């Protein structure tokens, strides 16, 4: 198996108003997110241009022109989301990044998002949260 990976860091804001008022994520605040984009495939499935494409997508995500840097995550969807946590961001990024890759490459994409010790991994329909009290989202058979 071959792996193409890019790791980047993005600062963005959010609030999760559905959490109890005493929870620190209930109010608007910022995080420094670590994002890892990986494309894993068997030899012959990946092309040399895929590495360049993934690097360009990572660079765009880190830039001020990107969709999340220094933005309020609640507001990047229409209608605004009330649950922009790590699992939500990993899933949203999976969709966004997939739209910037060649057709068929999204099925090999894995997005890992970490902030404040909580990690969420999204690979297609599979999302796994580590270090979090909430249950993982497991795809239906």
């Amino acid at each position: 198996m071959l792996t193409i990976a890019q790791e980047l860091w993005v600062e963005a804001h959010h609030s999760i108003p559905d959490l109890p008022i005493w929870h620190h994520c209930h109010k608007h605040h910022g995080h420094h997110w670590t994002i890892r984009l990986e494309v894993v495939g068997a030899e012959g499935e990946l092309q040399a241009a895929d590495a360049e494409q993934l690097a360009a997508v990572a660079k765009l995500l880190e830039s001020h022109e990107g969709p999340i840097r220094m933005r309020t995550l609640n507001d990047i969807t229409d209608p605004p989301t009330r649950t922009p946590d790590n699992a939500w961001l990993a899933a949203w990024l999976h969709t966004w990044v997939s739209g910037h890759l060649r057709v068929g490459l999204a099925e090999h994409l894995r997005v890992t998002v970490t902030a404040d010790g909580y990690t969420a991994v999204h690979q297609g329909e599979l999302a796994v949260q580590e270090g979090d009290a909430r249950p993982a989202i497991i795809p239906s058979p």
Side-chain angles (χ1 to χ4, degrees):
M1 296 300 272
L2 300 174
T3 301
I4 301 168
Q6 290 287 319
E7 190 163 287
L8 56 135
W9 299 268
V10 177
E11 292 182 6
H13 316 154
H14 76 154
S15 65
I16 306 178
D18 292 345
L19 290 174
I21 197 164
W22 51 262
H23 194 284
H24 65 279
C25 285
H26 176 83
K27 294 182 180 178
H28 188 83
H29 63 287
H31 287 285
H32 187 88
W33 272 278
T34 301
I35 300 167
R36 183 169 172 83
L37 308 174
E38 293 177 279
V39 177
V40 180
E43 202 167 325
E45 289 180 315
L46 303 181
Q47 303 170 6
D50 295 336
E52 294 171 16
Q53 197 173 35
L54 192 64
V57 169
K59 186 175 181 177
L60 179 58
L61 277 173
E62 278 188 310
S63 76
H64 287 289
E65 292 78 31
I68 61 174
R69 183 170 180 190
M70 300 307 292
R71 302 235 183 351
T72 300
L73 297 180
N74 302 70
D75 299 335
I76 64 173
T77 60
D78 187 24
T81 182
R82 294 181 60 84
T83 58
D85 60 6
N86 291 2
W88 176 89
L89 183 57
W92 187 89
L93 283 169
H94 192 280
T95 300
W96 189 88
V97 171
S98 295
H100 289 79
L101 300 177
R102 71 172 168 84
V103 174
L105 201 56
E107 66 189 54
H108 301 282
L109 176 64
R110 177 188 187 107
V111 177
T112 304
V113 173
T114 303
D116 292 343
Y118 296 103
T119 298
V121 179
H122 197 279
Q123 186 169 336
E125 294 299 314
L126 175 61
V128 179
Q129 296 174 184
E130 300 168 4
D132 203 337
R134 291 165 294 171
I137 302 165
I138 304 297
S140 53

